[in-house]
Amino acid sequence: MTTGDANAEGVRLQKVLAAAGVGSRRHSEELIAAGRVRVDGRVVEAQGMRVDPQTAIIEVDGERVVTRTGLVHLALNKPVGVLSAMSDDRGRPTVADLVADAGPGLFHVGRLDADSEGLLLVTNDGELAHRLSHPSFGVAKTYLVEIAGPVGRDVPRRLRQGVDLTDGPVRVDAVRIVSSAGSRVMLEITLHEGRNRVVRRLMDAVGHPVRRLVRTRIGPVYLGSLRVGRTRHLSRGEVGALYREVDL
């Protein structure tokens, strides 16, 4: 619900913006006065608007501001040996063990096999989790991949042109050699695919089995310097960018 009637139900827009971390109420009022705030696609032209923070689509300078209360959006650096699952009937360590203090109802976005490490997203925002995981949205993911060298020039070319796997062809969006020292080569690979163990299967198919695999990016979110086994809350900008990525 959005309305300019001060007696209507809802929360004043500047209060909602302040609670979402945009800035103080005074700063939020200045943003509104400058015409930099949109609600449900329309520029707000006056102070005093009340909105429902659970349903209103609010943007500042074209960037989505997520105002629903109670949402959790985390980046996790998954260690080797931890399952990409929220439970395991065999008692093995899972993602849930690393985010136990973040609250109930959490989902992990995407998967990394137990032998792989790096970035996972964890959230209780079910629709966002669903869309980020669904192949139709084609969210790009980037990996650092250690393989045995030397690597011929044909390997990056084959990966870009496409490789036939048992469940269909796969083509990477980008690949580059990050470093090469004797028998140790590091590649950076970006692709939209979400099939099971797809990077490992790709590298097997071109004759260079993966020694180590680290996911460093999911869409607009980067692993950065986050330590192994630790989490961090996504910034307001990162959350807004994820929403844009999947048309929310």
Side-chain angles (χ1 to χ4, degrees), residues 6-232:
N7 296 317
E9 295 180 358
V11 183
R12 287 187 179 274
L13 179 57
Q14 59 265 43
K15 183 176 180 180
V16 172
L17 290 172
V22 172
S24 67
R25 293 193 194 183
R26 176 60 182 166
H27 178 63
S28 298
E29 290 172 352
E30 292 172 351
L31 292 174
I32 294 168
R36 296 167 60 185
V37 180
R38 289 177 178 265
V39 175
D40 297 335
R42 300 181 64 180
V43 175
V44 179
E45 298 178 341
Q47 307 289 341
M49 171 179 277
R50 291 177 179 267
V51 301
D52 181 348
Q54 299 297 104
T55 59
I57 298 176
I58 300 173
E59 299 168 285
V60 175
D61 294 335
E63 178 181 286
R64 175 74 181 270
V65 178
V66 180
T67 57
R68 287 172 54 199
T69 57
L71 293 181
V72 176
H73 304 94
L74 300 174
L76 165 69
N77 189 346
K78 186 192 87 67
V80 170
V82 173
L83 300 182
S84 293
M86 301 311 290
S87 64
D88 181 64
D89 56 10
R90 294 165 57 184
R92 293 172 294 181
T94 69
V95 166
D97 299 321
L98 301 175
V99 296
D101 296 334
L106 294 173
F107 309 89
H108 61 86
V109 177
R111 300 182 65 86
L112 284 171
D113 62 73
D115 295 328
S116 299
E117 57 193 294
L119 181 62
L120 283 176
L121 301 181
V122 180
T123 182
N124 59 1
D125 189 336
E127 182 61 22
L128 177 64
H130 168 72
R131 293 194 180 203
L132 286 171
S133 301
H134 199 281
S136 65
F137 288 94
V139 178
K141 303 172 184 68
T142 299
Y143 302 83
L144 277 179
V145 183
E146 180 182 335
I147 58 176
V151 174
R153 294 181 180 179
D154 65 312
V155 171
R157 176 181 53 79
R158 289 179 64 190
L159 292 172
R160 284 190 290 263
Q161 289 180 345
V163 177
D164 287 324
L165 302 180
T166 56
D167 52 355
V170 177
R171 181 174 59 83
V172 307
D173 300 311
V175 56
R176 68 183 182 95
I177 297 176
V178 176
S179 63
S180 180
S183 64
R184 183 176 182 270
V185 176
M186 296 294 295
L187 300 179
E188 183 182 75
I189 294 175
T190 298
L191 72 169
H192 288 77
E193 283 282 351
R195 280 183 260 176
N196 188 41
R197 298 174 66 88
V198 66
V199 176
R200 291 184 181 275
R201 292 192 290 137
L202 268 176
M203 298 314 299
D204 284 343
V206 297
H208 289 276
V210 171
R211 290 178 169 178
R212 184 186 180 199
L213 188 149
V214 182
R215 184 156 63 200
T216 59
R217 179 175 72 96
I218 300 175
V221 180
Y222 289 80
L223 180 64
S225 60
L226 184 63
R227 293 169 57 189
V228 174
R230 302 295 293 272
T231 64
R232 68 172 177 84

